[in-house]
């Protein structure tokens, strides 16, 4: 399985660290003594560009030239390098270790920044320019992803036009979709992303969808089967369109209102906060497990949208044998699918 590692500067270095001659902090040395992660676990290390996560000791006034308000760029770069050292140690079994630098930078206006100066596409490119070398210096198997916008392919293209591609090994985003995923134009969007990578990076690179999902509660009422059906069909489209990794949002519910019910699991905490000691599965958890077991190791070969306007499907291949997945988004029906002479 995949997970998101979420290093946050103000969490990891609340006080200014004393670096040794190699730039390694005491916290980093301690983490390097800990055992690595099991080899069945894969991770994406996701930094952010948000000013709120700069620790107090490293802050200065935010300006148009310094949107994050970082006092000394070298201190940020040292933190990034130390985080990459730890990530390399923890996930040494991964042939390539993905890193994301920005987090939904297209929403870094009032949504994240609160007040001006607001983040721009140019700031995203400059942020990668200033941060990526610190990662590559310590992790020669780093795979740099970005810009991880919240959808908005036009924003991604804007950053690529400004030169972001020179720092990227893959493209990542949070690709939330329509209530009926088949109506969200997802195949065309993935095709456009691949076309952009060929145009601006000079090659086709892997696509990572590191956050998307559906909440189960709508207008105060749970639609648990509906959530499961939407998420499984969405995941099928992601797999069928060749997305390298798709991470569902979220593992468990994290609020008491509709917007807090994104989880694959119920959260038994009275306030449904981010610290449950135990979880209770929703139907989507079982549905996702079964779907994963059926499609694990199967590589996409072609779509089947031509067989019927009301049917979506894909042909996958595993062990030189076809695996066929079909679904109907709008109603229950019997599907008759010709497969030729089979034993």
């Amino acid at each position: 399985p995949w997970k998101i590692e979420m290093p946050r500067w103000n969490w990891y270095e609340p006080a200014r660290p004393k670096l040794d001659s190699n730039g390694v902090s005491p916290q980093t040395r301690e983490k390097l003594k800990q055992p690595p992660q099991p080899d069945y676990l894969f991770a994406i290390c996701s930094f952010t560009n948000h000013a709120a996560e700069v620790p107090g000791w490293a802050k200065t006034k935010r300006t148009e030239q310094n949107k994050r308000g970082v006092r000394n760029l070298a201190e940020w770069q040292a933190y990034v390098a130390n985080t990459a050292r730890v990530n390399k140690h923890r996930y040494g079994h991964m042939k390539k270790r993905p890193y994301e630098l920005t987090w939904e930078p297209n929403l870094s206006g009032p949504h994240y920044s609160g007040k001006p100066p607001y983040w721009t596409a140019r700031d995203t490119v400059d942020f990668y320019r200033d941060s990526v070398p610190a990662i590559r210096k310590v992790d020669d198997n780093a795979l740099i992803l970005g810009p991880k916008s919240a959808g908005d392919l036009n924003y991604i293209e804007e950053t690529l036009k400004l030169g972001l591609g020179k720092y990227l090994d893959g493209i990542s985003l949070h690709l939330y979709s329509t209530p009926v995923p088949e109506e969200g134009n997802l195949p065309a969007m993935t095709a456009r992303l691949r076309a952009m990578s060929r145009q601006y990076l000079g090659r086709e690179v892997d696509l990572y969808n590191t956050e998307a999902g559906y909440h189960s509660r709508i207008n105060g009422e749970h639609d648990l089967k509906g959530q499961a059906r939407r998420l499984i069909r969405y995941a099928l489209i992601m797999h069928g369109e060749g997305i390298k990794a798709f991470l569902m949002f979220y593992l468990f519910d994290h609020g008491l209102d509709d917007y807090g019910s994104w989880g694959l699991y119920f959260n038994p905490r009275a306030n449904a906060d981010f610290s449950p000691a135990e979880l209770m599965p929703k139907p989507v958890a079982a549905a996702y497990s079964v779907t994963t077991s059926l499609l694990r190791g199967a590589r996409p070969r072609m779509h089947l949208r031509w067989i019927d306007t009301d049917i979506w499907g894909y042909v996958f291949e595993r062990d030189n044998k076809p695996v066929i997945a079909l679904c109907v988004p709008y109603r229950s029906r019997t599907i008759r699918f010709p497969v030729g002479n089979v034993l």
Side-chain angles (χ1 to χ4, degrees), residues 99-111:
Y99 294 84
E100 297 175 306
L101 273 299
T102 50
W103 190 293
E104 298 183 342
N106 58 315
L107 301 184
S108 294
H111 183 79

Side-chain angles (χ1 to χ4, degrees), residues 227-292:
Q227 181 199 31
R229 289 167 176 158
R230 289 188 292 271
L231 274 168
I232 295 308
R233 298 201 320 267
Y234 182 100
L236 176 63
I237 294 171
M238 292 294 100
H239 192 32
E241 296 300 324
I243 299 299
K244 180 69 172 179
F246 162 51
L247 281 70
M248 285 186 178
F249 184 85
Y250 191 66
L251 179 62
F252 53 82
D253 288 349
H254 55 81
L256 300 175
D257 57 1
D258 289 5
Y259 195 77
S261 65
W262 294 89
L264 278 69
Y265 292 80
F266 290 108
N267 184 342
R269 295 271 295 176
N271 59 351
D273 63 12
F274 283 91
S275 58
E278 56 185 1
L279 299 172
M280 298 178 292
K282 297 179 182 179
V284 65
Y288 195 60
S289 297
V290 171
T291 304
T292 300

Side-chain angles (χ1 to χ4, degrees), residues 29-193:
R29 286 193 293 273
E30 289 301 313
K31 290 175 182 177
L32 293 176
K33 296 176 184 177
Q34 299 173 6
Q37 293 292 291
D39 59 10
Y40 60 78
L41 188 62
F42 299 86
I44 299 172
C45 185
S46 295
F47 296 90
T48 85
N49 55 298
H50 303 152
E53 292 165 7
V54 178
W57 61 268
K59 282 185 177 180
T60 189
K61 184 179 179 180
R62 295 174 62 233
T63 66
E64 285 292 338
Q65 292 72 39
N66 186 356
K67 301 285 181 66
R68 297 174 67 231
V70 174
R71 182 185 62 186
N72 185 339
L73 180 61
E75 292 172 334
W76 160 254
Q77 292 167 331
Y79 161 71
V80 170
N82 278 315
T83 301
R85 286 185 175 99
V86 173
N87 190 67
K88 179 181 178 180
H89 166 72
R90 298 187 75 198
Y91 297 97
H93 59 278
M94 295 181 67
K95 294 180 180 179
K96 292 290 184 179
R97 284 173 287 275
Y99 294 84
E100 297 175 306
L101 273 299
T102 50
W103 190 293
E104 298 183 342
N106 58 315
L107 301 184
S108 294
H111 183 79
Y112 283 125
S113 301
K115 58 183 180 180
Y118 294 143
W119 197 262
T120 67
R122 168 54 66 187
D123 293 318
T124 291
V125 177
D126 291 347
F127 188 64
Y128 272 76
R129 178 202 64 202
D130 294 338
S131 304
V132 168
I135 297 174
R136 295 203 189 277
K137 183 177 179 180
V138 300
D139 189 350
D140 50 6
N141 286 321
L143 188 80
I144 306 299
L145 307 178
K148 194 165 68 171
S149 66
D152 196 350
L153 272 60
N154 290 332
Y155 179 88
I156 294 176
E157 185 160 21
E158 183 180 1
T159 62
L160 293 174
K161 286 180 178 178
L162 292 171
L164 182 65
K166 71 180 71 172
Y167 308 109
L168 295 183
D169 303 308
I171 294 175
S172 67
L173 74 167
H174 291 170
L175 192 55
Y176 286 89
S177 190
T178 51
V180 179
E182 293 81 1
E183 297 177 355
N185 212 26
L186 294 169
M189 295 176 78
T190 57
R192 183 183 171 193
L193 287 167

Side-chain angles (χ1 to χ4, degrees), residues 280-310:
M280 298 178 292
K282 297 179 182 179
V284 65
Y288 195 60
S289 297
V290 171
T291 304
T292 300
S293 68
L294 293 173
L295 293 177
R296 178 177 296 155
R299 297 182 178 277
R301 289 294 177 252
M302 63 180 293
H303 70 77
L304 295 171
R305 291 190 293 281
W306 46 267
I307 65 174
D308 189 302
T309 56
D310 200 29

